[in-house]
Amino acid sequence: MKTLCAAMFASCLLATSPVAFAEVANLTNSADGANRDAGIAAVKKKLQDACTDRKGTPDMDSFEVVFEKTSENPNVPKPYYVDGKLKCDLPG
């Protein structure tokens, strides 16, 4: 009976914790760049700004390039296209 009460008490404490109400969102976006590095930097910046606009904390270690393509057209000023995703820890 004591272990049941202790377990219930611990779960109640965990449930009222502010960390328990936090959310993790996976944000996605795309950007163009003159080359691969510029495209990746642009999409990282967009994702980071989107996360901070939502009052979240971006997890830059979770950044991942989902899709990338270089345009065959030589007249395109920013021929490199990048899709990326990033985890964002949102407050509860």
Side-chain angles (χ1 to χ4, degrees), residues 27-33 38-54 58 60 63 78 80-88:
L27 304 177
T28 59
N29 210 331
S30 60
D32 297 325
I40 289 174
V43 78
K44 276 185 182 180
K45 177 77 172 125
K46 280 185 173 182
L47 290 169
Q48 192 173 15
D49 290 346
C51 183
T52 54
D53 286 348
R54 292 171 174 84
M60 295 310 288
F63 175 77
K78 293 183 177 180
Y80 201 82
Y81 176 85
V82 180
D83 284 340
K85 71 178 183 178
L86 177 76
K87 286 184 183 177
C88 178

Side-chain angles (χ1 to χ4, degrees), residues 70-76 79:
T70 303
S71 175
E72 300 296 326
N73 186 349
N75 297 326
V76 177

